[in-house]
Amino acid sequence: MDLNYSAEELEFRDEVRAWLGANLPAELREEVESYAHLSKDDLLRWHRILAKKGWVAPAWPREWGGTGWNVVQRYLFEEELGYAGSPPLIPFGLSMCGPVLLRFGSDAQKKRFLPRIYNGEDFWCQGYSEPGSGSDLASLKTSAVRKGDHYVVNGQKIWTTLAHYADWIFCLVRSDSGTSKRQEGISFLLIDMRTPGITVRPLILMDGAHEVNEVFFDDVKVPAENLVFEEGKGWTVAKYLLGYERMNTGRIGESKRQLAYLKRYGEHLMGDTRWRDRLSRLEVELTALEITNLRFLDRMRRTGQPPGADVSMLKIKGTEIQQELTELMMDATDPAASDPLSVAVRKRYLSMRKTTIYAGSNEIQRNIIAKSTLGL
Amino acid sequence: MDLNYSAEELEFRDEVRAWLGANLPAELREEVESYAHLSKDDLLRWHRILAKKGWVAPAWPREWGGTGWNVVQRYLFEEELGYAGSPPLIPFGLSMCGPVLLRFGSDAQKKRFLPRIYNGEDFWCQGYSEPGSGSDLASLKTSAVRKGDHYVVNGQKIWTTLAHYADWIFCLVRSDSGTSKRQEGISFLLIDMRTPGITVRPLILMDGAHEVNEVFFDDVKVPAENLVFEEGKGWTVAKYLLGYERMNTGRIGESKRQLAYLKRYGEHLMGDTRWRDRLSRLEVELTALEITNLRFLDRMRRTGQPPGADVSMLKIKGTEIQQELTELMMDATDPAASDPLSVAVRKRYLSMRKTTIYAGSNEIQRNIIAKSTLGL
Amino acid sequence: MNFDYNEEQQLLADSVRRYLAKSYDFEARRKIVAAEGWSTDAWKQFAEIGLTGLPLGTDHGGFGGGAVDLIGVMEAFGEALVVEPYVPLVLAARALERGAKSSPLLSSVVEGRARLAFAHTEKGARYALDAVQTRAKESRLSGEKSAVIGAPIAEHFVVSARGEDGIGLYLVDRAATEVKPQRTLDERLAGDVVLREAPAHKLSGGAALLEETVDFATALLCAEAVGALQFACDTTLEYLKTRKQFGVPIGTFQALQHRIVDMYISLEQARSMACLAASRADSAGDARERARAISAAKIRVADAARHVSQEAVQLHGGMGMSEELKISHTFRRLTVLAREYGDVDHHLARYAAL
Amino acid sequence: MNFDYNEEQQLLADSVRRYLAKSYDFEARRKIVAAEGWSTDAWKQFAEIGLTGLPLGTDHGGFGGGAVDLIGVMEAFGEALVVEPYVPLVLAARALERGAKSSPLLSSVVEGRARLAFAHTEKGARYALDAVQTRAKESRLSGEKSAVIGAPIAEHFVVSARGEDGIGLYLVDRAATEVKPQRTLDERLAGDVVLREAPAHKLSGGAALLEETVDFATALLCAEAVGALQFACDTTLEYLKTRKQFGVPIGTFQALQHRIVDMYISLEQARSMACLAASRADSAGDARERARAISAAKIRVADAARHVSQEAVQLHGGMGMSEELKISHTFRRLTVLAREYGDVDHHLARYAAL
């Protein structure tokens, strides 16, 4: 057992760190660090810098631009991104649609979409949740009826993150409502957001931010060639994506950066036992999660097995830590202050409540662990 | 709104307090205060002192020895008992079998049993739980088969508190195994513990104490006259008992005494912010529960309605407070000390874990609130 | 011992609830917040119902009510998320009455004509009442009070400042100040109040009156929180009963059942402490007994506010995050209420020291 | 970066587990506890497996192992609730080796012939290592060490005492002491050790060696706790799967599912910190880095011990309270482990000060 990174791993990390130091634009980093709103241009700018370096999609096969890094390197890379204060890489293209196409897409689909995802030419969003289908995704109702060489899509998606930036949306749709198992009638469709009949309506969250949307489909014609995999096999695609290796579920690097910042931001409270103990416990929990994450990576590296329900634990703990960080930040803020940073810190507390809800609520994650790890 | 007791209520409390000061034997109080084991004689001695005063069963009708006190007076009385450090009044006769006989018993049963319960001549225990029937009481299997003027009882009870002291046991038994609803074949039987075929086996708890037992019934003959209410109506009796007004579910007086003691016992830690804050929060929670209890009593007094699921909340919070008290006590104990009090304090932490399990586990109490108060 | 409202308290609470139901529902409130952040109509109604006169004595046309008399009103305000700066008015008027009995402003307050605010907070002081940098010298104040609730619409301020004989309260005309308006996290009007040798009238009572006033405010806040907590619990319960997933209402899932039960238990415990706080604010034997009860109540109410608000949003799922649902605004209010007049840590320290 | 055991570590852990499965199951342990509280057979086996030699250098016939080498052993001990005072032996022998390299006792330890205990606790000191009342004067010790684990069977003690040049460790022959035996809450042998001008041999290393030794002990304890936590989780899971109520296994109830998931999460987080503790006990850059890691680990492990032990008993219902089931004994062990070598508050204070 050796908890320290090897010399090679450290060398890799230092290379990444040095490159980020030289190539992450200061104004982007400052926006991230001050909790400012990131525009579509901000996001794409950073995406394209990484694409140019060849680092925007490390997990993809080399032929499509992947780096060939092992799981530890990929983890280190993502940790460094978070720790450096880089803008997020929006996952819908790079970590969701991309991997789906790589696994299930036709050659034509791969050639058409993957380079544009890689280079940040298409901005993607994800059409999964519906007003009546949140945790119970398989109950989705948005319909796709085949008419000649098109599907006609009708229905509504909700909580669609950054749909107002998106050029494309990948959707789970019901292509057959007559199946006995609900999962069997679902297909995976790629839809151009400029198609007539699509309406995007902002959903403002409680911090006042516009991140998510409702997306309405009213007789939207989608070319049949935009069906991924087979008709009625969309659930297989969705399940694959759930099990897809994401190195960054716990957001360790990002939380480490926030924690370091919190120590400076709350320096005036470091002598206050009550606040200090909350900080200590949080730091311990984050340290533990980092090691837990490394243990899972080590097992993946040794066994070659995908992470399974481990990801659920990282999601639960990672989001709890992120929320506690924002709460400590808020409590360190001068209650009488109304400067922009203080206001941003308070609003961030509001905003981060979403983390235990989105991407499979923490309740759903506990159900997953109970079922697949514990056999209950 | 007035949170203070009225002059009459205070006068009543002072009368009780003065009487307890004069009549609670010092050696009994000291045993209670040092967490010593109370013998059957200790328990009965105190029972009989109260019986002689006429205060042992305040809630009973006056003709059977009740005091005619209103709910607030009964609460005050129980609080003073707990606060004074008096031995517990074992509830199985006074608060369980007694009320059942008063409501459902025949005249003969009342005349035969009630005076002996009142005067502490019979020691009772409760035969409800079985190895396979804990939370799911209606699944009980102990059978009672009618043969002439007797029932023949076979089966096993478990967790039978103080069965090794008991002269009598009241039991839920299955008198008809052929009913469609499981609840319908259950009867309520009174059984003399000296009847041949009864075996009591100690169950030692993790603190090493002998409080509970297994009770085995092997062809035990029970006179049919010991059936309470009608055959097959035992569930009605049991349900009545669950809703029976118990003033003392939260054990406020007892916890107030423990808290006062804890402040003396842990005086050396009062300057330690960490320990002190736990104590403060505990004191606040107990203060809140006391007022909550009074609010419920006030509503009962005004509406004349039984407490319903309020009792579940008092059970949940009251037991959580009792457990936290014992944990703070243990943490105040010198870790290097092995004197009898330190040892007793540590064992008490072990022992008190039972409080959130017994008398309807706190999980069952939450189910009850969810169903009957919240309508879920 | 009784927990009833008396007839007047019940009538007052009913009047307020009727008005809020009619004219201050979530949509109406949204419009008020989107516009100026307060409503002249609401203010007029408060005066008509008798709210502005309630805390002041009969000498000035008021009713001489205390915190207990305001419990029902504050609960209704908490449930409806009223943004009008009524509490600052009560605090300033009460302090003024105690510190300058004959002030002609008081009858204007009762009639709903004078708007007052209470300016005791400063940057860097956190929740300490004695960390006052604002200076009083020869009846003139200099300094800055920050995040003063209701400041943008106040015509007079009662201000804490440090003079030669210690901390005291002073009445200042708004015209002698500069007010920089803000909105709080929970959408109320507030402002920084800059004082540059502003002429001031000193009130009697000193630091003790400041502490008593803030304790009174905390008692009102606890009652307001109970109203907000009740709404958070009830609306979450309703959501659990109506929202279906996997073909059944999500309220059939035991894990969620147990969690909402714990929310209601928090609510009931907080309600009990709010009763205690109001009772002791009105009739504690001494300042220490009052302070212990107020801090104990704030500790429990703040814990409940955190617990219930976080769980309410979580159990609502995505809908809890949407500003279209009232619960997200109740979340904001409870987040602020947990900290206003002292967060849990502040009151734990105060409680332990008493 | 890797979390594998190496071949020797795996072999050692396997040997220990095999022995414990064969000769130290719950029934065997019950008999040991009911009799003298330790087993000469177990002690002999520990020597044969190589446990007594593991922490000592090759000079003395040992293997020069560290905390990481003992992780697997300690986890097995924690799972089996071993009551033999092995850790005190390790601590005393390690300190002796560091403070008196040529002590002839060391090879006896390796061979399993010498039984040592580590006597650093005193009444009134709580968990502070520097609150030492025992005095060293002219190579004689006077004072009392309390609740010394393994004292009743120890032949030598390594004792902390305050001499003219500060706190140091001393070797004392048991014959020069008076031992008052006890049993701990978790059924181990312990004793108060009374020293009345007891002849002692001073070890070099001073207070730093004492602190290093206790940090090493804490790292072992964390690993032991992980074994006990693992058992508590697994046996509770098994119970949820087999215990039926209302016609179904109680593990189908979602509220219980979510709670046992949280138990396993606590276990995994504690395990990670136990890895860190062992790693830093062996190879921290400096004492501060070591102490930070050890205290952080103890905080997390103690929190997990409290959480998991309480939940395990609660989810077992009445059966969890019965001394017939092993879980109640694991509860006792975890209760003690949460506090031994410093409770959470102690380590929070130490962590914050570093």
Side-chain angles (χ1 to χ4, degrees), chain B residues 29-38 82-83 85-88 205-209 211 250-262 265 282 286 318-331 333 339-356 358, chain D residues 185 310 313 321 331-332 335 339:
Chain B
R29 184 172 47 76
E30 281 156 20
E31 279 182 24
V32 168
E33 287 179 348
S34 60
Y35 310 118
H37 169 78
L38 292 173
Y83 197 71
S86 65
L205 295 187
M206 66 165 142
D207 60 339
E211 293 173 16
R251 292 187 187 275
I252 309 287
E254 165 73 9
S255 287
K256 281 166 82 171
R257 183 173 63 78
Q258 297 289 352
L259 181 73
Y261 182 53
L262 175 60
Y265 187 83
L282 178 60
L286 179 56
T319 52
E320 286 176 0
I321 288 169
Q322 291 160 49
Q323 290 185 338
E324 177 71 5
L325 275 165
T326 64
E327 202 165 346
L328 273 163
M329 279 289 285
M330 176 170 63
D331 285 336
T333 298
D339 58 287
L341 180 59
S342 299
V343 170
V345 163
R346 293 187 195 113
K347 289 202 168 172
R348 191 173 148 79
Y349 168 71
L350 304 179
S351 169
M352 292 299 276
R353 301 315 302 173
K354 71 188 171 209
T355 61
T356 46
Y358 67 25
Chain D
L185 189 70
Q310 293 185 352
V313 166
M321 291 297 300
F331 181 91
R332 293 165 71 162
T335 300
R339 289 158 183 84

Side-chain angles (χ1 to χ4, degrees), chain A residues 18-223:
Chain A
W19 184 86
L20 287 172
N23 291 281
L24 173 58
E27 57 274 25
L28 285 183
R29 183 173 47 75
E30 281 155 20
E31 278 183 23
V32 168
E33 287 179 347
S34 60
Y35 310 117
H37 168 78
L38 293 173
S39 68
K40 183 175 175 180
D41 282 349
D42 291 334
L43 297 171
L44 286 177
R45 181 177 170 201
W46 180 234
H47 181 117
R48 287 167 185 158
I49 291 171
L50 283 170
K52 202 171 152 209
K53 171 70 176 169
W55 282 358
V56 84
W60 288 17
R62 277 177 188 276
E63 56 177 310
W64 294 103
T67 56
W69 294 337
N70 66 28
V71 291
V72 175
Q73 288 171 312
R74 278 158 50 200
Y75 169 79
L76 281 171
F77 176 69
E78 299 216 13
E79 175 165 305
E80 288 302 315
L81 285 185
Y83 197 69
S86 64
L89 284 174
I90 304 305
F92 307 113
L94 293 169
S95 312
M96 303 180 90
C97 190
V100 159
L101 292 175
L102 285 161
R103 172 77 179 76
F104 297 102
S106 65
D107 281 349
Q109 287 171 337
K110 287 181 194 170
K111 278 184 195 139
R112 177 176 173 197
F113 291 110
L114 288 177
R116 296 183 60 85
I117 291 175
Y118 193 95
N119 295 316
E121 290 166 89
D122 290 338
F123 200 112
W124 281 80
C125 66
Q126 175 193 32
Y128 272 29
S129 294
E130 297 185 6
S133 305
S135 301
D136 180 16
L137 190 56
S139 68
L140 62 89
K141 291 202 173 69
T142 295
S143 68
V145 178
R146 179 75 182 249
K147 293 210 171 146
D149 59 353
H150 281 79
Y151 289 96
V152 178
V153 176
N154 279 285
Q156 181 195 348
K157 297 292 177 180
I158 196 171
W159 311 123
T160 319
T161 302
L162 300 185
H164 54 303
Y165 290 176
D167 305 300
W168 284 84
I169 184 169
F170 59 88
C171 281
L172 290 178
V173 294
R174 187 160 300 284
S175 51
D176 182 354
S177 57
T179 57
S180 57
K181 283 188 71 177
R182 298 183 309 168
Q183 286 82 349
E184 282 168 8
I186 293 173
S187 295
F188 193 99
L189 272 191
L190 313 179
I191 305 177
D192 187 331
M193 289 293 281
R194 281 154 305 193
T195 321
I198 295 183
T199 311
V200 175
R201 178 178 165 265
L203 266 175
I204 305 303
L205 296 187
M206 67 166 140
D207 61 338
H210 177 198
E211 294 173 16
V212 295
N213 304 274
E214 294 175 292
V215 181
F216 298 88
F217 298 88
D218 183 14
D219 283 336
V220 174
K221 284 176 76 177
V222 179

Side-chain angles (χ1 to χ4, degrees), chain A residues 131-132 136 327 331 334 356, chain C residues 124 126 243 246 306 314 339:
Chain A
D136 180 16
E327 201 165 346
D331 284 335
D334 187 335
T356 47
Chain C
R126 290 191 69 85
R243 168 74 173 171
F246 306 103
R306 177 179 192 270
Q314 185 69 25
R339 289 159 182 84

Side-chain angles (χ1 to χ4, degrees), chain A residues 130-137 139 158-159 182 201-208 214 268-269 272 274-275 278 323-324 327 330-339 343 346-347 349-354 356-357 361-364 366-367, chain C residues 121-127 145-147 180 182-185 192 239 243-247 255-256 259 306 309-311 313-324 327-329 331-332 335-336 339 343-346 348-350 352:
Chain A
E130 297 185 6
S133 305
S135 301
D136 180 16
L137 190 56
S139 68
I158 196 171
W159 311 123
R182 298 183 309 168
R201 178 178 165 265
L203 266 175
I204 305 303
L205 296 187
M206 67 166 140
D207 61 338
E214 294 175 292
H268 59 293
L269 292 175
D272 176 328
R274 298 176 178 92
W275 191 86
R278 288 168 64 198
Q323 290 184 339
E324 178 71 6
E327 201 165 346
M330 176 169 63
D331 284 335
T333 298
D334 187 335
S338 54
D339 59 287
V343 170
R346 294 188 194 113
K347 289 201 168 171
Y349 168 71
L350 304 179
S351 170
M352 293 297 279
R353 301 314 304 173
K354 71 188 170 208
T356 47
I357 296 169
S361 74
N362 286 17
E363 289 74 27
I364 291 293
R366 287 189 169 87
N367 288 349
Chain C
T121 45
E122 294 186 9
K123 290 199 185 73
R126 290 191 69 85
Y127 306 108
K145 312 305 283 190
S146 294
K180 303 175 189 164
Q182 314 141 11
R183 291 288 175 97
T184 60
L185 189 70
D192 292 348
Y239 189 78
R243 168 74 173 171
K244 286 188 179 179
Q245 291 283 274
F246 306 103
L256 307 191
R259 283 164 69 177
R306 177 179 192 270
S309 67
Q310 292 185 352
E311 287 287 79
V313 166
Q314 185 69 25
L315 297 188
H316 269 84
M319 289 311 299
M321 291 296 300
S322 165
E323 69 101 51
E324 289 182 20
I327 186 60
S328 75
H329 300 264
F331 182 91
R332 294 165 72 161
T335 300
V336 172
R339 289 159 182 84
D343 60 11
V344 169
D345 288 356
H346 171 80
L348 279 169
R350 185 175 184 233

